Amino acid sequence: MALTAAWLFLGATPLRTALLWCSLILLAACLVILGVTVACGGGRPRCETYEWGVRVASATPGLGEHSRTPLRLSGARWMSARYAGAMVAVPALLALWVTLVAADARGTGRSSALAEADAVIEQRPIVKVENEIAEGKSRFAAATADLTVLLPSPTGGHAVPATFEASTNRRQGIGSELYVAYVPDRPELGAIGDDQREDVERQLSGRAVQFGDSWTIAGFWALATLGPLGYWWKNESLRRPQRTVGPDWKALRVSVTGSGEHIDAPPPGSPEAADEKKRRENTRTLKCLVLEGRGRQVPFHSQMAAEAAGDALSGTQAWLLWHPQQRRGRDVLAELVGDDGWQLPGAVPVQVAEGVEEAGVMESAQPDPERRIRLLDLGAGYLVTASVSVVVGFAVALGCLAALLLVPDGGAWRWWTAAAGVLAPLVGFIAQALARMDPGDGDGGAAS
């Protein structure tokens, strides 16, 4: 995707051609990997892949009630980085599609031949306007039309008419002057033109988008991406380094009883609950695992499909660990360490954590330096949860992308092709979801 975006803004150089083919080859390779994965056992329910993840992460199966808390806890930076990558890639992909559709593809057609023949740029008057499509009735409205200018004859005879399509910032009439690129001694090559000289230069250089437009595209991308990403990274991400468990950590012996919902509302009297509107704005519903220990129920949420995780982990015994001072937003960072040796990073709402500590049911952690654990990454098996419909959707999207990149002519087909490329994966995911609508494969939340 990054290679394809770079291709849009580079001139007609061997580097751009190399980037184009690298982009298509990499995308095709990813599609082949996804297709092979699905063919070799894809389409599995998420709860089944979660059970597989639990088996892989079990470092000490069968340890049971004799387990102790570990001394070292694994970090979870990769899981957050992968999730953040998806949050960045989706808006970037949409921005790329919009850019490809709006891009003037004529930069790879007639303008390429003119550039190779050392075209010059001069102002020429318009002698004919045909097939005009304007964005408004005002003469200052942007318009697209077939415009004809007269090019001087290299033999000194009659002028040679040249017709080209141009999208200008205002409507053009007979007698209006345009910047026109042509080859003086070869008028048979035709011409290209625009009311902006830099746009003619762009077409001659083979760039699909003006450099100035890149700032507009980048601005919209930033609005759709960086704000939500920054909020999530600061308040909800699982990122955390490796940590050492000390005596100031709290531990609670729990069992996983399933999954459920927890409504985390601000306490009465707090600024977040000053009125009903603020209370609603600051109330969140969390899909979580339900943990039970010493008569207390504790909601534990993470980047996972809670219902599938509840099915995979229900009945397991574990230690729930947290440090009272390690908080992020409205949560206390917590770790669920199973007796079988897996570690699931997550969080517990601050109010719940404070209530459990005040109840006096927790104990100081007594870490065992010999205890071995592995990180439980429930999102690691996401490839095998794909289905044939998803693979077909991505294949259609790749074909549409190749058409937009390789076919030089413009027209309404570009909009239809882009729409098909965007909608095909979405239809594939919808078909997959409909095929899996059974009680045993509820998502219950966003998998990491």
Side-chain angles (χ1 to χ4, degrees):
M1 182 166 55
L3 294 176
T4 305
W7 175 87
L8 287 169
F9 299 102
L10 289 175
T13 63
L15 175 60
R16 191 181 75 160
T17 302
L19 288 175
L20 168 61
W21 286 108
C22 285
S23 299
L24 295 178
I25 291 172
L26 286 175
L27 288 173
C30 292
L31 184 63
V32 169
I33 293 173
L34 180 60
V36 171
T37 304
V38 171
C40 293
R44 297 178 181 177
R46 183 169 285 143
C47 60
E48 183 178 332
T49 62
Y50 277 13
E51 291 171 355
W52 167 82
V54 173
R55 290 193 299 270
V56 170
S58 296
T60 54
L63 193 58
E65 60 183 8
H66 301 292
S67 67
R68 297 179 63 186
T69 59
L71 177 64
R72 295 286 292 174
L73 294 173
S74 301
R77 288 173 172 167
W78 162 243
M79 295 170 65
S80 288
R82 188 178 64 212
Y83 197 90
M87 293 181 68
V88 171
V90 172
L93 184 61
L94 293 177
L96 176 61
W97 276 101
V98 172
T99 304
L100 285 172
V101 176
D104 189 347
R106 289 168 295 176
T108 56
R110 179 186 298 169
S111 58
S112 177
L114 292 173
E116 292 178 358
D118 297 325
V120 299
I121 301 177
E122 296 178 354
Q123 284 189 302
R124 289 283 170 181
I126 299 172
V127 297
K128 182 188 287 186
V129 179
E130 297 177 303
N131 305 321
E132 183 183 64
I133 302 176
E135 296 182 2
K137 295 182 179 180
S138 170
R139 67 186 187 92
F140 298 104
T144 299
D146 293 330
L147 307 176
T148 302
V149 298
L150 296 178
L151 304 179
S153 172
T155 60
H158 294 291
V160 179
T163 302
F164 52 84
E165 181 184 292
S167 299
T168 55
N169 292 334
R170 55 181 294 178
R171 299 176 68 176
Q172 303 295 320
I174 295 176
S176 299
E177 289 194 336
L178 293 180
Y179 289 98
V180 177
Y182 70 99
V183 180
D185 56 347
R186 298 183 63 185
E188 69 276 6
L189 293 178
I192 58 172
D194 200 271
D195 57 351
Q196 303 292 321
R197 184 184 181 94
E198 57 267 25
D199 193 59
V200 179
E201 293 173 346
R202 172 188 65 79
Q203 293 187 58
L204 286 177
S205 68
R207 285 181 286 113
V209 180
Q210 296 184 46
F211 284 117
D213 292 340
S214 63
W215 293 104
T216 303
I217 297 169
F220 282 112
W221 174 84
L223 287 175
T225 305
L226 299 185
L229 177 62
Y231 175 84
W232 171 84
W233 189 260
K234 179 181 178 181
N235 298 302
E236 299 180 13
S237 69
L238 288 176
R239 76 186 193 283
R240 60 197 67 174
Q242 290 186 350
R243 293 168 295 164
T244 300
V245 178
D248 51 349
W249 282 63
K250 301 297 181 181
L252 178 64
R253 187 71 178 166
V254 298
S255 61
V256 182
T257 60
S259 61
E261 288 187 352
H262 174 75
I263 298 177
D264 185 34
S270 64
E272 293 81 6
D275 53 52
E276 186 61 28
K277 180 180 179 181
K278 286 188 175 180
R279 182 177 177 83
R280 287 198 304 268
E281 291 176 349
N282 291 284
T283 298
R284 54 179 181 161
T285 301
L286 302 173
K287 304 284 188 178
C288 55
L289 290 176
V290 178
L291 313 179
E292 187 171 330
R294 301 186 65 179
R296 304 284 299 195
Q297 281 195 345
V298 182
F300 178 87
H301 66 96
S302 181
Q303 291 172 6
M304 60 186 177
E307 291 185 17
D311 292 339
L313 298 174
S314 183
T316 58
Q317 303 292 315
W319 285 101
L320 179 62
L321 302 170
W322 71 65
H323 190 289
Q325 302 303 318
Q326 294 184 1
R327 301 184 178 187
R328 185 170 299 150
R330 297 166 60 181
D331 293 317
V332 173
L333 300 182
E335 307 291 337
L336 189 63
V337 180
D339 290 350
D340 287 343
W342 47 261
Q343 172 200 338
L344 180 62
V348 174
V350 169
Q351 293 185 68
V352 175
E354 291 177 345
V356 173
E357 290 182 23
E358 291 173 359
V361 297
M362 302 195 77
E363 58 187 82
S364 296
Q366 298 179 352
D368 180 3
E370 303 299 325
R371 179 78 194 277
R372 295 186 301 112
I373 59 172
R374 293 195 187 105
L375 188 68
L376 174 54
D377 186 355
L378 291 176
Y382 67 95
L383 278 179
V384 297
T385 63
S387 64
V388 175
S389 60
V390 172
V391 176
V392 171
F394 279 117
V396 172
L398 177 60
C400 294
L401 178 62
L404 291 172
L405 287 172
L406 298 176
V407 181
D409 62 315
W413 72 270
R414 298 184 69 87
W415 293 96
W416 291 107
T417 302
V422 172
L423 294 177
L426 179 61
V427 172
F429 280 113
I430 292 176
Q432 174 182 269
L434 293 176
R436 295 180 177 176
M437 288 184 65
D438 62 81
D441 191 38
D443 279 351
S448 59

